[in-house]
Amino acid sequence: MLCLGMGCSPTRHLAEKERLLWKIDLEGVDQTNKSEIVPLYQQTPNRKVLGYPLYLNLYYLGKRFYNPEKIREKIAEINNEYNLKLQKAGSDSVEVDRLIEKKERKLAKKQVKLEDGNWLMRTVGEPPAIFDSLKLVHTEEQIKIYLNAEGFFRSTVTSSTETKKKKVFATITIQEDKPYIISQHTYELADTALLKLLKAPENPSLIQVNKRYDESVITMERARIEQLLKNSGFYDFRQQFVTFTADTSYTDYTVRLKTLVANPTDTSLHKIYSLRNVYFYSDAGLNRFGLTRDTVTLGDVHYLAYNQRVKPRILNRKIILRPGQTYSATRTLNNQRILSNMDMFKFTTISYTKVADSVALDNPRFGLLDAQINTFPLPRYQETTEIGGTFTEGIPGPYASIRFRVRNIFGGAEIFDIGGRAGYEGQYQAGEARAGRRTEIGADMGVTFPQILIPFRTNDILIRYNPRTRFGVGYTYVDRNEYTRTNLDFTYDYIWQRLNIHQFIFSPIDINIISTPRISQSFQQELDRLASLGNPLRQSFNNAFVSSINFTSLYNTANYNQTNDAKLVRIFLESGGFLGQYLAEAFNNLASYKFAKASLDYRRYHPVGLTSMFVYRANGGVAKPIGGSLVLPYDKHFFAGGSSSVRAWLPRRLGPGSSARINRETGEYIHSFEQPGEILLELNSELRFRMFRFGNTNVNGALFLDAGNIWLFEEGQQDTNSSEIIYQPGGEFAFDRFYKELAVGTGFGVRLDFTFAILRFDIATKVYDPARPEGNRYILTTFEPGKLFSTNSQTTFNLGIGYPF
């Protein structure tokens, strides 16, 4: 229908001499990076979807409804209308300003529409890429510059074109030839102190002999030299002092590279600076006329403030700049980061003032600096409210949360948080092929201290790692059709981090008191039936005291919008029950568990061109009852399926293994029960790409492929006498078949990027279902539209906030 509406030929709208750039082939790239050459194209063909110029045809569709004459008439009407209104406004300056602003706003919208077309042309559509031969020449020039920068000085770049039915097929041919190799690297500088530092074995150069000449390495080497010297006290040193010369006249395909470091124009030496005084202003920018700031000196640091809100002894643990130290740019940035991570200050800057020569040291090689640390406090009170909705199991549901934060509650830079949340969502009932409801209400509060709270002093050692201690308590109430469950938890956490990309959390105390005051009769019967077969799932719903010690390592280099080349590695280790077996005795009728759990989540983010990203994840874990316990606490199991797992399966409905429940009468596979597991393996991949822009919102797409499952260490006895259900075994993990039991699903997603949040819609379909007999597990061709929204549907819809991984 789209093709019929716009005409199948994308060239039918072109003028007589116009040609459409249809394709660019790049040939001869063997040694360089093709992905770095493609962005150098000065003109690119229109994007295609499966070979079809979808966005170009959408542009032409919009153009059918585009009438510039009507827009010009509307612009004239606006001008006439507001000119009359301005005459009537007379000397009323307020009204005149309002009318002018409104007129300009309306005219600006019309002007955009006149110049760039209507909404479909501007946002979804893509104007035709009219071939421009001059841009192809400029492309050759840019590629040649790139090849020279990569060391291919004798390379050539040519292009040719072929026109078929007003479509231009361009070919760019590169002859790289051999790259030039660095045969010698020397230094030339008059300052012997700098020369000694640069040639020190502990400061190896990025430029290496017998490696290919590469200007990007030279750029990094210039930055390395600047950073090295600025960390060694050379406060005034800049990259502009560093230059390079390349001599190719000695031997073919070789370069003799020389690094030159110039001296300052006003002296023959680069001066080394050390710190004389350190001043900390906790209310910088605030002026109170007639008053002077109170000064407290602690640890050779002067703390100045009109009102010392945060105790100086606490701040003193966060200052790593001290008098007598040699100036260091890295130390400066680290101290700025440490203070920013406290979440106490709106801004943190560190500046230096040179001490006048008359006061400075006598030796012309050395100088003195005074450091000023300037901060300004954040508001003491902060409130955050969130209201939204979910779409789970085909049923929409609202949710809301509110959080209240108090900073510096005890005067020691502590943070007090308290919050509440409530939500209602759809939830398929266990044992019934229909949707029920799930209500969750929760509240929590906690206090975070800016130090490690232990009997002996370690904060001086950990100061660079932003150490914190957090006490937290929370309560969660969950009401489902099958049961009502409450959880009272208490956590005691130590938190520290290396830079901003690697965080560690050690929780020596993690206690949960779980109560299940209500279990429906049908669900209780199901639990009893499983217990009679040796399945201990019923114990997971006992009133329980669950305690554990756990450790988390989170390494994450991805930015907020996940648009950079990055990775994430999350390691989680947990041991439970050894504290609980003693404390549980103080509570009547509370079971305790002993268990061990470990998981590893690895994610990789690869940019593909300028507007696409390829992301993949491997996620696995094991959890096992130990020390005489027969079952895990229910919340410690692994589950598969759902919007952040294998998306073609309903949440928590996949697995375990190749086991299944089959309706004896209809032969349908039943997916109405949550399936807890003890072993998890998930593999996910996703290609994210930009589609179009709607107003201020980016609309992006994603193609994804998911695989995974859960398994048990030991499979319980199965009921073979049921008159309604056939129980198919296969839930136990086995090395000789687990890879055959990885469920596979694929699909397409749309992401609405509002900058502050990502709203995600995914539709996924099953490709390989391990619950089916071997030989019949590939089910991609099976599709039943009538069961699209049922629990046994081949296709599943998911809605989520944020990216799935």
Side-chain angles (χ1 to χ4, degrees), residues 554-617:
L554 177 61
Y555 178 85
N556 183 14
T557 62
N559 57 22
Y560 173 76
N561 289 319
Q562 298 183 3
T563 56
N564 62 323
D565 191 333
K567 67 175 64 174
L568 180 149
V569 182
R570 182 182 183 273
I571 301 172
F572 177 77
L573 303 172
E574 185 174 25
S575 176
F578 296 98
L579 176 65
Q581 65 178 337
Y582 303 108
L583 295 182
E585 297 174 359
F587 301 89
N588 295 325
N589 303 319
L590 288 183
S592 63
Y593 303 86
K594 290 183 180 179
F595 62 92
K597 184 175 183 179
S599 65
L600 172 64
D601 187 354
Y602 176 82
R603 308 176 189 183
R604 194 72 173 87
Y605 305 87
H606 286 289
V608 181
L610 299 177
T611 60
S612 300
M613 176 75 68
F614 180 67
V615 185
Y616 58 88
R617 175 178 76 161

Side-chain angles (χ1 to χ4, degrees), residues 263-271 364:
N263 285 330
T265 56
D266 58 341
T267 178
S268 60
L269 295 173
H270 289 277
K271 188 174 289 188

Side-chain angles (χ1 to χ4, degrees), residues 252-326:
D252 282 348
Y253 298 104
T254 63
V255 178
R256 292 189 174 187
L257 201 62
K258 183 180 295 184
T259 300
L260 301 91
V261 181
N263 285 330
T265 56
D266 58 341
T267 178
S268 60
L269 295 173
H270 289 277
K271 188 174 289 188
I272 300 174
Y273 287 87
S274 58
L275 304 189
R276 185 185 68 164
N277 292 308
V278 179
Y279 301 96
F280 186 100
Y281 294 87
S282 57
D283 49 11
L286 181 64
N287 290 314
R288 293 184 177 176
F289 297 102
L291 297 177
T292 58
R293 286 183 170 88
D294 176 42
T295 302
V296 176
T297 301
L298 190 63
D300 296 328
V301 178
H302 307 289
Y303 296 92
L304 296 88
Y306 291 110
N307 181 14
Q308 300 282 1
R309 297 182 180 181
V310 181
K311 299 172 183 175
R313 65 179 180 82
I314 299 297
L315 293 173
N316 204 54
R317 296 173 180 172
K318 301 295 182 179
I319 305 300
I320 59 176
L321 300 178
R322 301 290 175 176
Q325 290 177 342
T326 300

